[in-house]
Amino acid sequence: MCCTVAAVLGVLVHNAVARQTVGQVRKETRADLDIALDLFEYGTSREGINSVLDPPQLPEPLRKLVRSGRQGSMVGTYQGRPVMWAAAPAGDQIMAVWSPYGNTSRSLEKFDTAILGSAVLAATAVALAGLFLAHRISRRLTRTAAVARRITAGDLDARVGAPPGGGPDETAGGGASGGDEVAAVAAALDSVAGSLQSRLQAEQRFTADVAHELRTPLTGILASAALLPEGRPKEMINDRLRALHRLTEDLLEISRLDSGAEHADLDSYDLGTLVERGVHATGLDTEVRTVSSGVVETDRRRLDRILTNLVLNAHRHGHPPVVVTVDAAPGGVPGRAPTIEVRDHGAGYPDDLLRHGPRRFRTDAPGRGRGHGLGLTIAVGQAAVLGIDLRFSQAPDGGARATLHLPPPSPEHDHTP
């Protein structure tokens, strides 16, 4: 817009100055023409006046105008120099008077150069100022977007108002006090993040408190149930109590995962052997296929927990055969991230789980049985502790498929037996 305004103003100023300058030269030339006509009429010498009768250099449009009986003026050339011609009928001849026009033409060219230089200088200054301001706004918006992505990824401590090292954030204007829209967006995002963090922390505390409060009386009930006389009622009570006990332990585990209190105890294991032992420990009819094995650094207990939950979920909600595939070097390339795939041949995962991931107490897939939805939630949480990328998808030929991408092995463990 500034460049457009500068261009329009430049054209208007050029036209105004050109009209005034050229008009002055034309006025003086026509005055000389009137004098030359008077002198020609009285037969007096025209010395001191640049007058010529029927000059061949007279521009053709001006010559036709004079032949029609009118006067006129026009810029042209005379003896190779730019001049301002003024001509009028003088009997059956043409009386023409010329004035030098070179200085006027050069003055207009210098004036146009000055206008163009000023416009370029002004546009450059405006562009630099605009780039500076746009860069500041873009940098602040980029930081706001980065914080929003961190919050989406689970970092609820991320804020726009203060950088990770603490202190006021100069790029965000120190919050909403700057009075601009970017600061208002940043403050709104911080407010949303704070509210979300408070609610999630309240939910985590509630889950942990409920699990802890249930654990003590449940232990007493289990001990009391052991004193009941043998029979079907005792079996039913013990079965429900064990289910309730597992649910309580799952809630405690989820609360620890949510609080970030869990840390991996890494050690070196042969991946194929580790998976076979973990799957066979479930006691379920599960096929283990080892494409390639290798040494990995992981926490055996947590990886067993992940595999157990995935295998139990496949048997509970899917259909056999349930197959676990181990590939320590995908594509036959050592150093690639080892993978473990758990799949069944049932109806597959529900669309809601594929879009949003596992959610506790949500098992709304038709035909996939009943449950609390905690098994997959725990598997995802334990995978995050181990740095494992756990993905859920549908198998091409039907069935649910869970794929674990383990961290790549270190160079000293990078081999494929």
Side-chain angles (χ1 to χ4, degrees):
M1 180 60 69
C2 290
C3 292
T4 302
V5 171
V8 172
L9 289 177
V11 171
L12 293 177
V13 171
H14 165 81
N15 291 337
V17 173
R19 280 197 303 269
Q20 181 179 1
T21 303
V22 175
Q24 182 65 28
V25 176
R26 180 176 282 115
K27 180 179 179 182
E28 294 174 356
T29 307
R30 285 186 172 179
D32 291 343
L33 177 63
D34 292 338
I35 296 175
L37 289 174
D38 291 340
L39 294 176
F40 177 79
E41 182 178 353
Y42 293 110
T44 309
S45 173
R46 302 190 304 276
E47 292 185 4
I49 300 177
N50 299 323
S51 62
V52 183
L53 288 173
D54 293 327
Q57 294 94 341
L58 190 68
E60 191 62 29
L62 182 57
R63 187 184 300 276
K64 292 181 179 179
L65 180 67
V66 175
R67 292 296 185 190
S68 65
R70 292 181 293 174
Q71 295 185 7
S73 59
M74 186 176 180
V75 176
T77 59
Y78 181 64
Q79 297 180 352
R81 296 178 297 171
V83 297
M84 173 67 75
W85 286 105
D92 57 350
Q93 302 182 79
I94 296 176
M95 174 62 70
V97 175
W98 57 272
S99 297
Y101 192 74
N103 292 335
T104 303
S105 177
R106 284 190 293 270
S107 298
L108 290 176
E109 290 177 357
K110 292 180 179 179
F111 185 74
D112 290 343
T113 302
I115 291 178
L116 180 60
S118 301
V120 171
L121 182 62
T124 302
V126 171
L128 291 176
L131 286 174
F132 175 74
L133 295 176
H135 177 68
R136 284 179 58 86
I137 295 175
S138 175
R139 183 174 57 180
R140 295 163 64 189
L141 290 174
T142 300
R143 173 172 170 76
T144 303
V147 171
R149 287 191 293 268
R150 288 171 56 191
I151 294 173
T152 302
D155 183 7
L156 298 182
D157 293 324
R159 295 292 185 274
V160 182
D169 181 13
E170 71 279 359
T171 63
S177 58
D180 62 295
E181 291 81 357
V182 178
V185 171
L189 178 62
D190 286 349
S191 176
V192 171
S195 176
L196 178 62
Q197 185 179 34
S198 299
R199 294 191 180 190
L200 288 178
Q201 289 176 345
E203 179 185 345
Q204 293 170 6
R205 286 194 299 269
F206 175 77
T207 302
D209 292 343
V210 168
H212 279 290
E213 293 297 328
L214 286 176
R215 196 176 194 180
T216 300
L218 183 59
T219 303
I221 295 175
L222 283 171
S224 301
L227 302 177
L228 293 175
E230 298 295 333
R232 181 60 179 168
K234 180 179 179 179
E235 294 178 1
M236 295 176 61
I237 292 175
N238 285 334
D239 180 66
R240 293 297 88 197
L241 287 176
R242 282 192 294 269
L244 183 58
H245 183 265
R246 287 193 299 270
L247 174 60
T248 304
E249 294 298 326
D250 288 346
L251 289 174
L252 284 172
E253 185 174 357
I254 288 176
S255 67
R256 290 193 299 269
L257 292 171
D258 288 341
S259 64
E262 296 288 288
H263 301 284
D265 183 13
L266 301 178
D267 203 348
S268 299
Y269 300 94
D270 181 79
L271 183 61
T273 304
L274 184 62
V275 172
E276 288 183 5
R277 290 177 180 175
V279 172
H280 292 161
T282 63
L284 299 172
D285 184 15
T286 305
E287 179 184 356
V288 179
R289 299 175 182 173
T290 303
V291 178
S292 64
S293 186
V295 176
V296 295
E297 290 186 354
T298 188
D299 188 324
R300 181 185 59 81
R301 181 181 63 84
R302 298 183 189 279
L303 184 59
D304 285 347
R305 178 67 161 152
I306 296 172
L307 290 174
T308 298
N309 285 9
L310 293 177
V311 171
L312 287 175
N313 184 81
H315 281 280
R316 181 177 300 170
H317 301 298
H319 295 291
V322 176
V323 181
V324 178
T325 304
V326 181
D327 191 354
V333 181
R336 293 281 298 276
T339 62
I340 304 173
E341 179 185 288
V342 180
R343 64 155 301 181
D344 60 50
H345 291 76
Y349 289 117
D351 294 337
D352 184 69
L353 185 146
L354 296 177
R355 285 194 302 268
H356 306 290
R359 289 186 286 178
R360 60 196 68 175
F361 301 107
R362 287 291 300 273
T363 55
D364 52 358
R368 288 187 62 84
R370 301 174 61 84
H372 299 106
L374 300 181
L376 295 183
T377 304
I378 292 174
V380 171
Q382 294 290 6
V385 174
L386 295 178
I388 295 175
D389 181 15
L390 176 54
R391 302 180 184 179
F392 301 95
S393 60
Q394 311 289 28
D397 54 346
R401 179 174 61 185
T403 307
L404 293 88
H405 297 270
L406 282 70
S410 57
E412 60 269 19
H413 296 141
D414 185 12
H415 67 275
T416 304

